[in-house]
Amino acid sequence: MKKQIIIMIIISMLLLSCIATKTITKGSYVNLTSNVINTEVSAEQIGKIRIFYKTDPDFQYTEIGIVEAIARGKEAGLEDLFPELKKQAAIIGSDAVYKIEIQRYNQTGDALHATGIAIKSH
Amino acid sequence: MRSKIFFSVVLFAAILSSMIGCNYVNKNPDILSQYPYNQVQYVAQPKAIDETIDVVQVTTRGLKANILNTIPELYKKVLEKHHVSEQPVRIHNISITSFTQKESFQVPYQHCTSRTSYSSGKPVITQHCTTLYRTEIRNVLYQKATADIIKMREKN
């Protein structure tokens, strides 16, 4: 009986773990050139990606892909989008993201949507 | 024993649904490297002899408004318009913009009424339900992608 109660608690915790999350973020990329895909990227690699929001890069670059991030939830903000854009950019081996476009909408619940062009420095 | 199996199944289902619900990792198919999309060649640095001969644009809407859908759609349109020989179509300067548009949706809901009648002194409740629709205004996401078609300038 005790065992069953513990199992029930674990089940409840697992099911609630996602509901309790205020914002769910997911991202994707489209590879425009034949870039090597990094299936696993470290926090350090993600941290190195530069974001140029409403500004242009200050170095010579080549466009290598398009990245996208969607954050769902009323509390969703840029702090959810930019890390996801950076993660996707790191996956395709770029150095920065620019031409970032952000839209908030409420199609099937509140969501924040961003796209950007992933670039690599020369 | 039976309850043990039941709990094991429920636990497995819970773990599975939790994994699906929390799935932040998006497996991106490298779709543009597959046929027919690989007949389009993205040129990051066009040469001076390249000239833009056309601009192709696509717009996707709603749940389809995401890059994994929009960019292949753009490539499809590029191929439809310009793929005439075995030569790949060269494109440059892809740009992607998003916008929202307010749209009205008809959302169904059940409207039920109940009536109490008496049969042999006992109350009998009968319920009648009809489906009605209410109008909801939502912001629908649109995604627009454009690309320049480039071709080597022909010598005079």
Side-chain angles (χ1 to χ4, degrees):
Chain A
M1 186 63 188
K2 217 176 185 182
K3 216 175 180 182
Q4 288 176 353
I5 292 169
I6 292 167
I7 290 170
M8 285 305 284
I9 291 168
I10 293 169
I11 291 167
S12 309
M13 282 168 73
L14 281 168
L15 290 172
L16 286 171
S17 64
C18 287
I19 300 163
T21 312
K22 277 183 183 173
T23 306
I24 295 174
T25 311
K26 70 174 193 175
S28 50
Y29 64 83
V30 169
N31 214 349
L32 293 174
T33 51
S34 314
N35 309 303
V36 176
I37 303 302
N38 304 310
T39 46
E40 278 180 30
V41 286
S42 65
E44 196 191 344
Q45 282 172 298
I46 295 169
K48 278 182 184 169
I49 308 292
R50 294 173 68 188
I51 291 282
F52 292 94
Y53 181 47
K54 293 182 178 174
T55 55
D56 281 329
D58 47 7
F59 52 84
Q60 292 265 303
Y61 58 86
T62 303
E63 294 176 351
I64 64 162
I66 299 168
V67 288
E68 183 174 65
I70 301 164
R72 294 188 194 281
K74 282 193 168 139
E75 306 287 316
L78 296 184
E79 67 279 9
D80 302 299
L81 290 178
F82 286 171
E84 190 57 44
L85 286 179
K86 287 167 89 171
K87 184 184 160 192
Q88 298 300 321
I91 291 171
I92 55 172
S94 72
D95 300 316
V97 182
Y98 85 130
K99 286 187 182 173
I100 296 168
E101 292 254 345
I102 296 169
Q103 286 293 326
R104 186 180 281 279
Y105 62 103
N106 60 351
Q107 213 163 276
T108 49
D110 288 285
L112 206 55
H113 177 270
T115 52
I117 306 288
I119 54 173
K120 204 171 171 66
S121 62
H122 288 176
Chain B
M1 182 63 191
R2 197 180 274 180
S3 69
K4 252 186 185 176
I5 294 169
F6 171 75
F7 275 105
S8 304
V9 170
V10 173
L11 183 64
F12 177 72
I15 292 168
L16 200 69
S17 65
S18 167
M19 281 166 75
I20 294 164
C22 296
N23 190 11
Y24 293 93
V25 184
N26 191 351
K27 288 183 182 127
N28 295 278
D30 206 0
I31 195 165
L32 300 185
S33 63
Q34 293 160 13
Y35 186 83
Y37 308 105
N38 59 4
Q39 298 299 297
V40 177
Q41 186 191 352
Y42 184 75
V43 181
Q45 300 284 311
K47 290 169 186 157
I49 50 165
D50 289 323
E51 62 174 339
T52 302
I53 57 160
D54 194 9
V55 178
V56 172
Q57 180 186 297
V58 291
T59 305
T60 50
R61 172 192 174 278
L63 295 173
K64 285 185 170 180
N66 61 72
I67 58 167
L68 288 178
N69 187 63
T70 310
I71 302 301
E73 283 292 318
L74 178 73
Y75 273 45
K76 252 191 236 172
K77 197 168 178 185
V78 166
L79 288 169
E80 275 168 23
K81 282 187 83 177
H82 293 278
H83 197 229
V84 284
S85 64
E86 291 303 302
Q87 289 288 314
V89 184
R90 296 164 73 230
I91 65 166
H92 169 62
N93 194 27
I94 275 190
S95 81
I96 190 149
T97 55
S98 302
F99 58 95
T100 58
Q101 208 163 282
K102 278 192 166 63
E103 289 181 13
S104 64
F105 289 84
Q106 295 293 310
V107 182
Y109 69 96
Q110 287 275 306
H111 178 75
C112 299
T113 50
S114 58
R115 203 178 59 152
T116 310
S117 58
Y118 291 88
S119 169
S120 313
K122 287 180 182 173
V124 178
I125 300 166
T126 49
Q127 201 177 43
H128 179 70
C129 290
T130 47
T131 304
L132 298 173
Y133 292 87
R134 67 165 182 272
T135 306
E136 248 182 39
I137 305 290
R138 294 181 195 163
N139 274 327
V140 177
L141 184 73
Y142 283 78
Q143 197 169 66
K144 190 168 79 179
T146 58
D148 295 355
I149 313 291
I150 55 170
K151 206 176 176 185
M152 225 175 270
R153 196 172 286 130
E154 283 169 24
K155 285 174 190 169
N156 293 325

